Amino acid sequence: MDFGLDKKSNSLKTFNTIFIVIWLLLACFPFIWTFWGSFKVRADFFSRADWWYAITAFNTLIETGASFTKEAYSGAWFEGEFWKASRNTVIVTISVVSISLFLGTLGAYALSRSTKNYAFWILIIALIFRAMPHITLVSGYLFPFFQLQIWGILPTTIVVLVAINQPFTLWLLYSFFKTVPKELDESALIDGCSYFQAFRHIIMPVMWPGVITAGLFSLMLAYNDFTVTALLLNQENHTMVPKIQSYLGTNQHEGNLMWAVSAVVSATAPLFLLVMFFQRQVISGLTAGAIKG
Amino acid sequence: MPNRSFFWFFFPAGLAMILFIGLPIISTGIQSFYAQHDQILIEVKKCDPFGCKTSVVVDQEATSKIKEEKPLGKFNGFGTYIDRNHLASDQVSEFWSESKSLGEFIGKVGNLPFYKALLFTLTYCVIVTPCVLLLGFIIALSLNAISRKIRGPLIFGTILPMIVTPLVGSLVLFWMIDAEGIIGANLQILMDDPYLSVKSSKALTWITIIIYGVWHHSPFAFVVFYAALQTVPQEPLEASIIDGASRFQRVKHIVLPHIYPVVTFVALISLMDNFRVFEPIIGFSAEGSAQSLSWLIYDNLVNEEVILFGSAAATSIMTIVGISIILTPVLLRTWKEFRTNR
């Protein structure tokens, strides 16, 4: 929307720039501040006396002799066993992404190529499932899982996250598959391919952008999940987000709140890097559902 | 595609959804009709040289036995739904007859746990959703007017609040506005009130969570609106400029009608997401003054003594009813479109 004829007034331009700068400050400053503060001691980042200490590192200098300290990180990662939580997160995330992409591409391909009524109803049901608050589903899981004695372990959580993720993945991939012309796989079918061969050799190779987008969203869901992982995993198997919450609960220990700060930074940094690289895919995924349907 | 191939392609995804979304909803429904067992009490006679006393104690053996036999608990029918922690029908009718004015009645009902949570959840939805739409639209409009070369990094900065999980996002803000954080401490100096803190006031807590909600969700609205703005046709815009339409008139009469379907989509998605608000309550440790429906369920499920399955399930079912009410207009519209397309 670049108005060729539009001569914008200078005051409007300035106003616009100021607005954007203020918004970006609001959006980004909290993260920059937390990142900065994670290298300080608690007395500086949560200073009762003077918030300026967080910048001058008054107490950090006294306690550690330098203006930056990695104490919070080493505390959280080793003493607080954050390494275990991040290992669990890696396992959960990789499994959820690969399984839900496998199920999702097959299902969404079938939905996009079916002209029957039931395909429409399945999509509607998926939309209803997408709207269910996760906590209500968890309240349905807990009792049966206790009875079957599959509560607390990683595989259960992985399967649950895959299932919760399916409705969104199906919708997203469905809208991507719709953009691939039907003639492409129909001609392959005429040449004697089975549906699966057409899917595997003809459709998948042109679907990579869509698959990457869907994969990113599964990844963000699995990586960011709190409701399911906090309630379905035992202490030992906690992933990063419930682990961060557990640092908050035990405030008696001086270092624990700083552990939470450094854990938040450690958990957020990989996500930011990922989005930085795949920004285009994230945006196309968010808009796919809106623009095309 | 023939039915047979469709079945095999869709089977794995369908099975996962039936097993882990469909069945749990049914399981929740069943659980909501049961309540945990009462403890079995027995009278024990104890005699000592000074005489005999009878005392009532819990019969541990019998209690655990009945728990093992019927792990789901005792059948309670709609008992859980109407008890004090949920719809509280007795209390509400009592308040109705007692109260002299409507305001007093509403005030009393608003203090019951379920209605308190419902009130917060609805307030949050009703305020956050329009703010998100408005702020997202304004950001999209103004970013769209900025030179294309530097837009990439600006978009990245804009979507940061959205990609972190709500717990982390609210923690990051909470650490700043806490009495010991940078904003909280400066507010105390500014207002000249050393005891000012977000936690101490109910209104301030609500405002904080609502501001957080807008901060977290606006980027989503922005991204969708931004993409929609790219598809606005150029000719009518140019024509309107020649006809002397102001910027505001152009947005109102050309841009908004064009992206209207997208606005409803964003409104629906954010309404659904806002209705399940609960992580920020934990992040801001605001349990004292702000509780949402989802938080009530969470609180029942992490109960330390005994997990209140029945209570959590009853709240869940009522939350699902709430979600269905929100979804109905959309589903009806889709159904009509589908019928006319056929």
mmCIF file with all atom_site columns, all heavy atoms in Angstrom, chain A residues 82 84-86 88-90 92 154 157 222-223 225 229-230 233-235 237-244:
data_model
loop_
_atom_site.group_PDB
_atom_site.id
_atom_site.type_symbol
_atom_site.label_atom_id
_atom_site.label_alt_id
_atom_site.label_comp_id
_atom_site.label_asym_id
_atom_site.label_entity_id
_atom_site.label_seq_id
_atom_site.pdbx_PDB_ins_code
_atom_site.Cartn_x
_atom_site.Cartn_y
_atom_site.Cartn_z
_atom_site.occupancy
_atom_site.B_iso_or_equiv
_atom_site.pdbx_formal_charge
_atom_site.auth_seq_id
_atom_site.auth_comp_id
_atom_site.auth_asym_id
_atom_site.auth_atom_id
_atom_site.pdbx_PDB_model_num
ATOM 1   N N   . PHE A 1 82  ? 18.595 -27.288 35.543 1.00 0.00 ? 82  PHE A N   1
ATOM 2   C CA  . PHE A 1 82  ? 17.902 -26.795 34.361 1.00 0.00 ? 82  PHE A CA  1
ATOM 3   C C   . PHE A 1 82  ? 18.359 -27.547 33.109 1.00 0.00 ? 82  PHE A C   1
ATOM 4   O O   . PHE A 1 82  ? 17.621 -27.640 32.133 1.00 0.00 ? 82  PHE A O   1
ATOM 5   C CB  . PHE A 1 82  ? 18.135 -25.281 34.203 1.00 0.00 ? 82  PHE A CB  1
ATOM 6   C CG  . PHE A 1 82  ? 17.128 -24.612 33.315 1.00 0.00 ? 82  PHE A CG  1
ATOM 7   C CD1 . PHE A 1 82  ? 15.807 -24.527 33.699 1.00 0.00 ? 82  PHE A CD1 1
ATOM 8   C CD2 . PHE A 1 82  ? 17.502 -24.067 32.106 1.00 0.00 ? 82  PHE A CD2 1
ATOM 9   C CE1 . PHE A 1 82  ? 14.872 -23.928 32.891 1.00 0.00 ? 82  PHE A CE1 1
ATOM 10  C CE2 . PHE A 1 82  ? 16.568 -23.455 31.287 1.00 0.00 ? 82  PHE A CE2 1
ATOM 11  C CZ  . PHE A 1 82  ? 15.245 -23.389 31.685 1.00 0.00 ? 82  PHE A CZ  1
ATOM 12  N N   . LYS A 1 84  ? 18.637 -30.654 32.840 1.00 0.00 ? 84  LYS A N   1
ATOM 13  C CA  . LYS A 1 84  ? 17.748 -31.798 32.673 1.00 0.00 ? 84  LYS A CA  1
ATOM 14  C C   . LYS A 1 84  ? 16.451 -31.346 32.012 1.00 0.00 ? 84  LYS A C   1
ATOM 15  O O   . LYS A 1 84  ? 15.945 -31.994 31.091 1.00 0.00 ? 84  LYS A O   1
ATOM 16  C CB  . LYS A 1 84  ? 17.439 -32.375 34.055 1.00 0.00 ? 84  LYS A CB  1
ATOM 17  C CG  . LYS A 1 84  ? 17.442 -33.864 34.104 1.00 0.00 ? 84  LYS A CG  1
ATOM 18  C CD  . LYS A 1 84  ? 17.045 -34.281 35.499 1.00 0.00 ? 84  LYS A CD  1
ATOM 19  C CE  . LYS A 1 84  ? 17.889 -35.400 36.024 1.00 0.00 ? 84  LYS A CE  1
ATOM 20  N NZ  . LYS A 1 84  ? 17.585 -35.636 37.448 1.00 0.00 ? 84  LYS A NZ  1
ATOM 21  N N   . ALA A 1 85  ? 15.928 -30.197 32.501 1.00 0.00 ? 85  ALA A N   1
ATOM 22  C CA  . ALA A 1 85  ? 14.684 -29.684 31.943 1.00 0.00 ? 85  ALA A CA  1
ATOM 23  C C   . ALA A 1 85  ? 14.852 -29.357 30.466 1.00 0.00 ? 85  ALA A C   1
ATOM 24  O O   . ALA A 1 85  ? 13.968 -29.640 29.656 1.00 0.00 ? 85  ALA A O   1
ATOM 25  C CB  . ALA A 1 85  ? 14.240 -28.449 32.715 1.00 0.00 ? 85  ALA A CB  1
ATOM 26  N N   . SER A 1 86  ? 16.019 -28.781 30.111 1.00 0.00 ? 86  SER A N   1
ATOM 27  C CA  . SER A 1 86  ? 16.163 -28.406 28.703 1.00 0.00 ? 86  SER A CA  1
ATOM 28  C C   . SER A 1 86  ? 16.355 -29.650 27.844 1.00 0.00 ? 86  SER A C   1
ATOM 29  O O   . SER A 1 86  ? 15.896 -29.704 26.713 1.00 0.00 ? 86  SER A O   1
ATOM 30  C CB  . SER A 1 86  ? 17.311 -27.415 28.512 1.00 0.00 ? 86  SER A CB  1
ATOM 31  O OG  . SER A 1 86  ? 18.469 -27.915 29.081 1.00 0.00 ? 86  SER A OG  1
ATOM 32  N N   . ASN A 1 88  ? 14.847 -32.491 28.475 1.00 0.00 ? 88  ASN A N   1
ATOM 33  C CA  . ASN A 1 88  ? 13.483 -32.976 28.301 1.00 0.00 ? 88  ASN A CA  1
ATOM 34  C C   . ASN A 1 88  ? 12.738 -32.167 27.246 1.00 0.00 ? 88  ASN A C   1
ATOM 35  O O   . ASN A 1 88  ? 12.004 -32.719 26.429 1.00 0.00 ? 88  ASN A O   1
ATOM 36  C CB  . ASN A 1 88  ? 12.710 -32.907 29.618 1.00 0.00 ? 88  ASN A CB  1
ATOM 37  C CG  . ASN A 1 88  ? 13.212 -33.932 30.612 1.00 0.00 ? 88  ASN A CG  1
ATOM 38  O OD1 . ASN A 1 88  ? 13.772 -34.947 30.210 1.00 0.00 ? 88  ASN A OD1 1
ATOM 39  N ND2 . ASN A 1 88  ? 13.023 -33.662 31.885 1.00 0.00 ? 88  ASN A ND2 1
ATOM 40  N N   . THR A 1 89  ? 12.933 -30.833 27.285 1.00 0.00 ? 89  THR A N   1
ATOM 41  C CA  . THR A 1 89  ? 12.264 -29.995 26.292 1.00 0.00 ? 89  THR A CA  1
ATOM 42  C C   . THR A 1 89  ? 12.686 -30.377 24.888 1.00 0.00 ? 89  THR A C   1
ATOM 43  O O   . THR A 1 89  ? 11.852 -30.472 23.989 1.00 0.00 ? 89  THR A O   1
ATOM 44  C CB  . THR A 1 89  ? 12.579 -28.509 26.543 1.00 0.00 ? 89  THR A CB  1
ATOM 45  O OG1 . THR A 1 89  ? 12.087 -28.167 27.827 1.00 0.00 ? 89  THR A OG1 1
ATOM 46  C CG2 . THR A 1 89  ? 11.941 -27.632 25.503 1.00 0.00 ? 89  THR A CG2 1
ATOM 47  N N   . VAL A 1 90  ? 14.003 -30.634 24.704 1.00 0.00 ? 90  VAL A N   1
ATOM 48  C CA  . VAL A 1 90  ? 14.479 -31.008 23.366 1.00 0.00 ? 90  VAL A CA  1
ATOM 49  C C   . VAL A 1 90  ? 13.817 -32.305 22.922 1.00 0.00 ? 90  VAL A C   1
ATOM 50  O O   . VAL A 1 90  ? 13.312 -32.413 21.789 1.00 0.00 ? 90  VAL A O   1
ATOM 51  C CB  . VAL A 1 90  ? 16.020 -31.126 23.357 1.00 0.00 ? 90  VAL A CB  1
ATOM 52  C CG1 . VAL A 1 90  ? 16.496 -31.738 22.061 1.00 0.00 ? 90  VAL A CG1 1
ATOM 53  C CG2 . VAL A 1 90  ? 16.643 -29.768 23.563 1.00 0.00 ? 90  VAL A CG2 1
ATOM 54  N N   . VAL A 1 92  ? 10.946 -33.648 23.963 1.00 0.00 ? 92  VAL A N   1
ATOM 55  C CA  . VAL A 1 92  ? 9.518  -33.446 23.711 1.00 0.00 ? 92  VAL A CA  1
ATOM 56  C C   . VAL A 1 92  ? 9.313  -32.695 22.404 1.00 0.00 ? 92  VAL A C   1
ATOM 57  O O   . VAL A 1 92  ? 8.500  -33.095 21.557 1.00 0.00 ? 92  VAL A O   1
ATOM 58  C CB  . VAL A 1 92  ? 8.872  -32.680 24.887 1.00 0.00 ? 92  VAL A CB  1
ATOM 59  C CG1 . VAL A 1 92  ? 7.474  -32.216 24.540 1.00 0.00 ? 92  VAL A CG1 1
ATOM 60  C CG2 . VAL A 1 92  ? 8.826  -33.547 26.119 1.00 0.00 ? 92  VAL A CG2 1
ATOM 61  N N   . LEU A 1 154 ? 7.447  -38.949 29.874 1.00 0.00 ? 154 LEU A N   1
ATOM 62  C CA  . LEU A 1 154 ? 7.522  -38.121 28.668 1.00 0.00 ? 154 LEU A CA  1
ATOM 63  C C   . LEU A 1 154 ? 6.648  -38.623 27.513 1.00 0.00 ? 154 LEU A C   1
ATOM 64  O O   . LEU A 1 154 ? 5.967  -37.814 26.881 1.00 0.00 ? 154 LEU A O   1
ATOM 65  C CB  . LEU A 1 154 ? 8.975  -37.981 28.208 1.00 0.00 ? 154 LEU A CB  1
ATOM 66  C CG  . LEU A 1 154 ? 9.874  -37.107 29.079 1.00 0.00 ? 154 LEU A CG  1
ATOM 67  C CD1 . LEU A 1 154 ? 11.290 -37.109 28.551 1.00 0.00 ? 154 LEU A CD1 1
ATOM 68  C CD2 . LEU A 1 154 ? 9.358  -35.683 29.133 1.00 0.00 ? 154 LEU A CD2 1
ATOM 69  N N   . THR A 1 157 ? 3.085  -37.350 27.555 1.00 0.00 ? 157 THR A N   1
ATOM 70  C CA  . THR A 1 157 ? 2.990  -35.921 27.262 1.00 0.00 ? 157 THR A CA  1
ATOM 71  C C   . THR A 1 157 ? 3.166  -35.654 25.777 1.00 0.00 ? 157 THR A C   1
ATOM 72  O O   . THR A 1 157 ? 2.469  -34.818 25.203 1.00 0.00 ? 157 THR A O   1
ATOM 73  C CB  . THR A 1 157 ? 4.064  -35.167 28.066 1.00 0.00 ? 157 THR A CB  1
ATOM 74  O OG1 . THR A 1 157 ? 3.927  -35.543 29.418 1.00 0.00 ? 157 THR A OG1 1
ATOM 75  C CG2 . THR A 1 157 ? 3.906  -33.692 27.932 1.00 0.00 ? 157 THR A CG2 1
ATOM 76  N N   . ALA A 1 222 ? 4.860  -26.938 21.454 1.00 0.00 ? 222 ALA A N   1
ATOM 77  C CA  . ALA A 1 222 ? 5.464  -27.921 22.353 1.00 0.00 ? 222 ALA A CA  1
ATOM 78  C C   . ALA A 1 222 ? 6.472  -27.249 23.279 1.00 0.00 ? 222 ALA A C   1
ATOM 79  O O   . ALA A 1 222 ? 6.550  -27.546 24.465 1.00 0.00 ? 222 ALA A O   1
ATOM 80  C CB  . ALA A 1 222 ? 6.145  -29.016 21.539 1.00 0.00 ? 222 ALA A CB  1
ATOM 81  N N   . TYR A 1 223 ? 7.229  -26.314 22.735 1.00 0.00 ? 223 TYR A N   1
ATOM 82  C CA  . TYR A 1 223 ? 8.277  -25.654 23.499 1.00 0.00 ? 223 TYR A CA  1
ATOM 83  C C   . TYR A 1 223 ? 7.694  -24.765 24.580 1.00 0.00 ? 223 TYR A C   1
ATOM 84  O O   . TYR A 1 223 ? 8.211  -24.677 25.684 1.00 0.00 ? 223 TYR A O   1
ATOM 85  C CB  . TYR A 1 223 ? 9.101  -24.811 22.519 1.00 0.00 ? 223 TYR A CB  1
ATOM 86  C CG  . TYR A 1 223 ? 10.382 -24.251 23.055 1.00 0.00 ? 223 TYR A CG  1
ATOM 87  C CD1 . TYR A 1 223 ? 11.551 -24.980 22.973 1.00 0.00 ? 223 TYR A CD1 1
ATOM 88  C CD2 . TYR A 1 223 ? 10.432 -22.986 23.620 1.00 0.00 ? 223 TYR A CD2 1
ATOM 89  C CE1 . TYR A 1 223 ? 12.737 -24.470 23.454 1.00 0.00 ? 223 TYR A CE1 1
ATOM 90  C CE2 . TYR A 1 223 ? 11.611 -22.467 24.105 1.00 0.00 ? 223 TYR A CE2 1
ATOM 91  C CZ  . TYR A 1 223 ? 12.761 -23.215 24.016 1.00 0.00 ? 223 TYR A CZ  1
ATOM 92  O OH  . TYR A 1 223 ? 13.931 -22.707 24.492 1.00 0.00 ? 223 TYR A OH  1
ATOM 93  N N   . ASP A 1 225 ? 4.602  -24.922 25.944 1.00 0.00 ? 225 ASP A N   1
ATOM 94  C CA  . ASP A 1 225 ? 3.465  -25.403 26.706 1.00 0.00 ? 225 ASP A CA  1
ATOM 95  C C   . ASP A 1 225 ? 3.738  -25.390 28.200 1.00 0.00 ? 225 ASP A C   1
ATOM 96  O O   . ASP A 1 225 ? 4.800  -25.795 28.670 1.00 0.00 ? 225 ASP A O   1
ATOM 97  C CB  . ASP A 1 225 ? 3.109  -26.808 26.277 1.00 0.00 ? 225 ASP A CB  1
ATOM 98  C CG  . ASP A 1 225 ? 1.922  -27.309 27.055 1.00 0.00 ? 225 ASP A CG  1
ATOM 99  O OD1 . ASP A 1 225 ? 0.814  -27.014 26.616 1.00 0.00 ? 225 ASP A OD1 1
ATOM 100 O OD2 . ASP A 1 225 ? 2.124  -27.954 28.098 1.00 0.00 ? 225 ASP A OD2 1
ATOM 101 N N   . THR A 1 229 ? 2.410  -29.790 30.338 1.00 0.00 ? 229 THR A N   1
ATOM 102 C CA  . THR A 1 229 ? 3.648  -30.309 30.929 1.00 0.00 ? 229 THR A CA  1
ATOM 103 C C   . THR A 1 229 ? 3.655  -30.147 32.443 1.00 0.00 ? 229 THR A C   1
ATOM 104 O O   . THR A 1 229 ? 4.152  -31.019 33.142 1.00 0.00 ? 229 THR A O   1
ATOM 105 C CB  . THR A 1 229 ? 4.871  -29.588 30.338 1.00 0.00 ? 229 THR A CB  1
ATOM 106 O OG1 . THR A 1 229 ? 4.635  -28.190 30.373 1.00 0.00 ? 229 THR A OG1 1
ATOM 107 C CG2 . THR A 1 229 ? 5.121  -30.009 28.920 1.00 0.00 ? 229 THR A CG2 1
ATOM 108 N N   . ALA A 1 230 ? 3.085  -29.058 32.956 1.00 0.00 ? 230 ALA A N   1
ATOM 109 C CA  . ALA A 1 230 ? 3.127  -28.861 34.405 1.00 0.00 ? 230 ALA A CA  1
ATOM 110 C C   . ALA A 1 230 ? 2.275  -29.894 35.129 1.00 0.00 ? 230 ALA A C   1
ATOM 111 O O   . ALA A 1 230 ? 2.605  -30.316 36.231 1.00 0.00 ? 230 ALA A O   1
ATOM 112 C CB  . ALA A 1 230 ? 2.654  -27.455 34.766 1.00 0.00 ? 230 ALA A CB  1
ATOM 113 N N   . LEU A 1 233 ? 3.499  -34.131 33.914 1.00 0.00 ? 233 LEU A N   1
ATOM 114 C CA  . LEU A 1 233 ? 4.843  -34.670 34.106 1.00 0.00 ? 233 LEU A CA  1
ATOM 115 C C   . LEU A 1 233 ? 5.194  -34.636 35.585 1.00 0.00 ? 233 LEU A C   1
ATOM 116 O O   . LEU A 1 233 ? 4.800  -33.712 36.295 1.00 0.00 ? 233 LEU A O   1
ATOM 117 C CB  . LEU A 1 233 ? 5.869  -33.840 33.331 1.00 0.00 ? 233 LEU A CB  1
ATOM 118 C CG  . LEU A 1 233 ? 5.853  -33.994 31.823 1.00 0.00 ? 233 LEU A CG  1
ATOM 119 C CD1 . LEU A 1 233 ? 6.779  -32.985 31.187 1.00 0.00 ? 233 LEU A CD1 1
ATOM 120 C CD2 . LEU A 1 233 ? 6.257  -35.397 31.426 1.00 0.00 ? 233 LEU A CD2 1
ATOM 121 N N   . ASN A 1 234 ? 5.947  -35.633 36.034 1.00 0.00 ? 234 ASN A N   1
ATOM 122 C CA  . ASN A 1 234 ? 6.396  -35.547 37.417 1.00 0.00 ? 234 ASN A CA  1
ATOM 123 C C   . ASN A 1 234 ? 7.635  -34.651 37.496 1.00 0.00 ? 234 ASN A C   1
ATOM 124 O O   . ASN A 1 234 ? 8.237  -34.304 36.477 1.00 0.00 ? 234 ASN A O   1
ATOM 125 C CB  . ASN A 1 234 ? 6.641  -36.933 38.002 1.00 0.00 ? 234 ASN A CB  1
ATOM 126 C CG  . ASN A 1 234 ? 7.651  -37.718 37.209 1.00 0.00 ? 234 ASN A CG  1
ATOM 127 O OD1 . ASN A 1 234 ? 8.486  -37.125 36.523 1.00 0.00 ? 234 ASN A OD1 1
ATOM 128 N ND2 . ASN A 1 234 ? 7.591  -39.026 37.269 1.00 0.00 ? 234 ASN A ND2 1
ATOM 129 N N   . GLN A 1 235 ? 7.982  -34.307 38.727 1.00 0.00 ? 235 GLN A N   1
ATOM 130 C CA  . GLN A 1 235 ? 9.084  -33.375 38.981 1.00 0.00 ? 235 GLN A CA  1
ATOM 131 C C   . GLN A 1 235 ? 10.322 -33.704 38.150 1.00 0.00 ? 235 GLN A C   1
ATOM 132 O O   . GLN A 1 235 ? 10.945 -32.831 37.558 1.00 0.00 ? 235 GLN A O   1
ATOM 133 C CB  . GLN A 1 235 ? 9.437  -33.451 40.466 1.00 0.00 ? 235 GLN A CB  1
ATOM 134 C CG  . GLN A 1 235 ? 10.099 -32.207 41.000 1.00 0.00 ? 235 GLN A CG  1
ATOM 135 C CD  . GLN A 1 235 ? 9.085  -31.105 41.220 1.00 0.00 ? 235 GLN A CD  1
ATOM 136 O OE1 . GLN A 1 235 ? 7.948  -31.364 41.587 1.00 0.00 ? 235 GLN A OE1 1
ATOM 137 N NE2 . GLN A 1 235 ? 9.475  -29.872 40.973 1.00 0.00 ? 235 GLN A NE2 1
ATOM 138 N N   . ASN A 1 237 ? 10.687 -35.243 35.337 1.00 0.00 ? 237 ASN A N   1
ATOM 139 C CA  . ASN A 1 237 ? 10.597 -35.111 33.886 1.00 0.00 ? 237 ASN A CA  1
ATOM 140 C C   . ASN A 1 237 ? 10.184 -33.726 33.414 1.00 0.00 ? 237 ASN A C   1
ATOM 141 O O   . ASN A 1 237 ? 9.907  -33.543 32.237 1.00 0.00 ? 237 ASN A O   1
ATOM 142 C CB  . ASN A 1 237 ? 9.593  -36.135 33.335 1.00 0.00 ? 237 ASN A CB  1
ATOM 143 C CG  . ASN A 1 237 ? 10.162 -37.530 33.356 1.00 0.00 ? 237 ASN A CG  1
ATOM 144 O OD1 . ASN A 1 237 ? 11.377 -37.705 33.246 1.00 0.00 ? 237 ASN A OD1 1
ATOM 145 N ND2 . ASN A 1 237 ? 9.313  -38.523 33.517 1.00 0.00 ? 237 ASN A ND2 1
ATOM 146 N N   . HIS A 1 238 ? 10.119 -32.764 34.329 1.00 0.00 ? 238 HIS A N   1
ATOM 147 C CA  . HIS A 1 238 ? 9.647  -31.429 33.940 1.00 0.00 ? 238 HIS A CA  1
ATOM 148 C C   . HIS A 1 238 ? 10.436 -30.840 32.781 1.00 0.00 ? 238 HIS A C   1
ATOM 149 O O   . HIS A 1 238 ? 11.647 -30.984 32.709 1.00 0.00 ? 238 HIS A O   1
ATOM 150 C CB  . HIS A 1 238 ? 9.742  -30.479 35.137 1.00 0.00 ? 238 HIS A CB  1
ATOM 151 C CG  . HIS A 1 238 ? 8.464  -30.414 35.908 1.00 0.00 ? 238 HIS A CG  1
ATOM 152 N ND1 . HIS A 1 238 ? 8.340  -29.708 37.081 1.00 0.00 ? 238 HIS A ND1 1
ATOM 153 C CD2 . HIS A 1 238 ? 7.250  -30.949 35.671 1.00 0.00 ? 238 HIS A CD2 1
ATOM 154 C CE1 . HIS A 1 238 ? 7.111  -29.835 37.527 1.00 0.00 ? 238 HIS A CE1 1
ATOM 155 N NE2 . HIS A 1 238 ? 6.433  -30.584 36.703 1.00 0.00 ? 238 HIS A NE2 1
ATOM 156 N N   . THR A 1 239 ? 9.709  -30.160 31.883 1.00 0.00 ? 239 THR A N   1
ATOM 157 C CA  . THR A 1 239 ? 10.377 -29.422 30.823 1.00 0.00 ? 239 THR A CA  1
ATOM 158 C C   . THR A 1 239 ? 10.671 -27.999 31.317 1.00 0.00 ? 239 THR A C   1
ATOM 159 O O   . THR A 1 239 ? 10.414 -27.684 32.467 1.00 0.00 ? 239 THR A O   1
ATOM 160 C CB  . THR A 1 239 ? 9.510  -29.371 29.562 1.00 0.00 ? 239 THR A CB  1
ATOM 161 O OG1 . THR A 1 239 ? 8.241  -28.894 29.938 1.00 0.00 ? 239 THR A OG1 1
ATOM 162 C CG2 . THR A 1 239 ? 9.373  -30.735 28.933 1.00 0.00 ? 239 THR A CG2 1
ATOM 163 N N   . MET A 1 240 ? 11.175 -27.154 30.438 1.00 0.00 ? 240 MET A N   1
ATOM 164 C CA  . MET A 1 240 ? 11.700 -25.859 30.903 1.00 0.00 ? 240 MET A CA  1
ATOM 165 C C   . MET A 1 240 ? 10.653 -24.961 31.550 1.00 0.00 ? 240 MET A C   1
ATOM 166 O O   . MET A 1 240 ? 10.891 -24.380 32.606 1.00 0.00 ? 240 MET A O   1
ATOM 167 C CB  . MET A 1 240 ? 12.352 -25.128 29.728 1.00 0.00 ? 240 MET A CB  1
ATOM 168 C CG  . MET A 1 240 ? 13.623 -25.778 29.264 1.00 0.00 ? 240 MET A CG  1
ATOM 169 S SD  . MET A 1 240 ? 14.731 -24.648 28.463 1.00 0.00 ? 240 MET A SD  1
ATOM 170 C CE  . MET A 1 240 ? 14.295 -24.798 26.789 1.00 0.00 ? 240 MET A CE  1
ATOM 171 N N   . VAL A 1 241 ? 9.479  -24.840 30.922 1.00 0.00 ? 241 VAL A N   1
ATOM 172 C CA  . VAL A 1 241 ? 8.521  -23.852 31.429 1.00 0.00 ? 241 VAL A CA  1
ATOM 173 C C   . VAL A 1 241 ? 8.015  -24.207 32.835 1.00 0.00 ? 241 VAL A C   1
ATOM 174 O O   . VAL A 1 241 ? 8.053  -23.360 33.730 1.00 0.00 ? 241 VAL A O   1
ATOM 175 C CB  . VAL A 1 241 ? 7.365  -23.645 30.427 1.00 0.00 ? 241 VAL A CB  1
ATOM 176 C CG1 . VAL A 1 241 ? 6.404  -22.597 30.936 1.00 0.00 ? 241 VAL A CG1 1
ATOM 177 C CG2 . VAL A 1 241 ? 7.909  -23.228 29.079 1.00 0.00 ? 241 VAL A CG2 1
ATOM 178 N N   . PRO A 1 242 ? 7.571  -25.461 33.086 1.00 0.00 ? 242 PRO A N   1
ATOM 179 C CA  . PRO A 1 242 ? 7.206  -25.776 34.479 1.00 0.00 ? 242 PRO A CA  1
ATOM 180 C C   . PRO A 1 242 ? 8.383  -25.678 35.439 1.00 0.00 ? 242 PRO A C   1
ATOM 181 O O   . PRO A 1 242 ? 8.202  -25.355 36.615 1.00 0.00 ? 242 PRO A O   1
ATOM 182 C CB  . PRO A 1 242 ? 6.674  -27.211 34.412 1.00 0.00 ? 242 PRO A CB  1
ATOM 183 C CG  . PRO A 1 242 ? 6.957  -27.710 33.077 1.00 0.00 ? 242 PRO A CG  1
ATOM 184 C CD  . PRO A 1 242 ? 7.207  -26.563 32.182 1.00 0.00 ? 242 PRO A CD  1
ATOM 185 N N   . LYS A 1 243 ? 9.593  -25.932 34.928 1.00 0.00 ? 243 LYS A N   1
ATOM 186 C CA  . LYS A 1 243 ? 10.773 -25.812 35.783 1.00 0.00 ? 243 LYS A CA  1
ATOM 187 C C   . LYS A 1 243 ? 10.935 -24.366 36.255 1.00 0.00 ? 243 LYS A C   1
ATOM 188 O O   . LYS A 1 243 ? 11.220 -24.113 37.428 1.00 0.00 ? 243 LYS A O   1
ATOM 189 C CB  . LYS A 1 243 ? 12.016 -26.254 34.992 1.00 0.00 ? 243 LYS A CB  1
ATOM 190 C CG  . LYS A 1 243 ? 13.207 -26.550 35.855 1.00 0.00 ? 243 LYS A CG  1
ATOM 191 C CD  . LYS A 1 243 ? 13.035 -27.872 36.535 1.00 0.00 ? 243 LYS A CD  1
ATOM 192 C CE  . LYS A 1 243 ? 14.267 -28.294 37.286 1.00 0.00 ? 243 LYS A CE  1
ATOM 193 N NZ  . LYS A 1 243 ? 13.995 -29.550 38.014 1.00 0.00 ? 243 LYS A NZ  1
ATOM 194 N N   . ILE A 1 244 ? 10.740 -23.425 35.339 1.00 0.00 ? 244 ILE A N   1
ATOM 195 C CA  . ILE A 1 244 ? 10.848 -22.012 35.710 1.00 0.00 ? 244 ILE A CA  1
ATOM 196 C C   . ILE A 1 244 ? 9.847  -21.700 36.813 1.00 0.00 ? 244 ILE A C   1
ATOM 197 O O   . ILE A 1 244 ? 10.156 -21.037 37.800 1.00 0.00 ? 244 ILE A O   1
ATOM 198 C CB  . ILE A 1 244 ? 10.583 -21.114 34.476 1.00 0.00 ? 244 ILE A CB  1
ATOM 199 C CG1 . ILE A 1 244 ? 11.716 -21.266 33.468 1.00 0.00 ? 244 ILE A CG1 1
ATOM 200 C CG2 . ILE A 1 244 ? 10.444 -19.657 34.885 1.00 0.00 ? 244 ILE A CG2 1
ATOM 201 C CD1 . ILE A 1 244 ? 11.453 -20.600 32.148 1.00 0.00 ? 244 ILE A CD1 1
#
